[in-house]
Amino acid sequence: MSSETQPIPRPLVLVDGLTREQLLTAVGDARVASAGPLDLEGHGSSGVAVLSLAIHQRRLGLEIAHVACLDAHGEIDPVSGQPLAVPTPPEVPTRVTLVAGRDEASVAWTDQVAAAFRAAGWPVEHN
């Protein structure tokens, strides 16, 4: 199949409130089905999870091209059960998009996380 006829991969969209098992199953299934790096979008607590997966992707055997975190408020990462880890310099080029919700808590948390990822050397788009 030529590259012109191959379908464009769609991001795996993870809704708020998924359990650890649901998140890992969805990401594992996407990894098996994907011929390349993953593009993950998470809403609310799942947004925190995709950021955590990006930070720990090598250890988890993942290859992630892009993560988008939408409308998160600093919830605990549902995968680890811990607050989001402070990002370290990226081991692979992974783009990060952060979009705050409309409330002040989401805006403040998103600003803080964007600054931390940028400081660690991640390419960040912040709306």
Side-chain angles (χ1 to χ4, degrees):
M1 188 181 257
S2 76
S3 62
E4 291 177 20
T5 59
Q6 289 181 354
I8 297 171
R10 295 178 185 230
L12 173 61
V13 178
L14 302 165
V15 298
D16 190 23
L18 297 178
T19 66
R20 178 182 195 277
E21 292 75 22
Q22 291 168 325
L23 286 161
L24 293 177
T25 297
V27 172
D29 290 348
R31 183 181 72 179
V32 169
S34 173
L38 298 174
D39 186 358
L40 305 175
E41 178 180 312
H43 296 254
S45 63
S46 292
V48 177
V50 301
L51 293 171
S52 180
L53 291 169
I55 292 169
H56 302 292
Q57 64 185 294
R58 285 295 188 212
R59 182 175 58 80
L60 297 170
L62 298 172
E63 184 179 0
I64 302 173
H66 177 244
V67 293
C69 172
L70 292 83
D71 194 21
H73 299 81
E75 297 94 342
I76 296 296
D77 167 23
V79 175
S80 69
Q82 301 295 318
L84 183 64
V86 174
T88 57
E91 295 179 25
V92 294
T94 301
R95 292 180 301 114
V96 175
T97 301
L98 293 152
V99 180
R102 293 181 178 167
D103 60 280
E104 290 181 27
S106 180
V107 171
W109 184 85
T110 301
D111 289 347
Q112 178 184 12
V113 170
F117 271 83
R118 275 193 193 105
W122 294 71
V124 175
E125 181 179 329
H126 175 219
N127 300 0

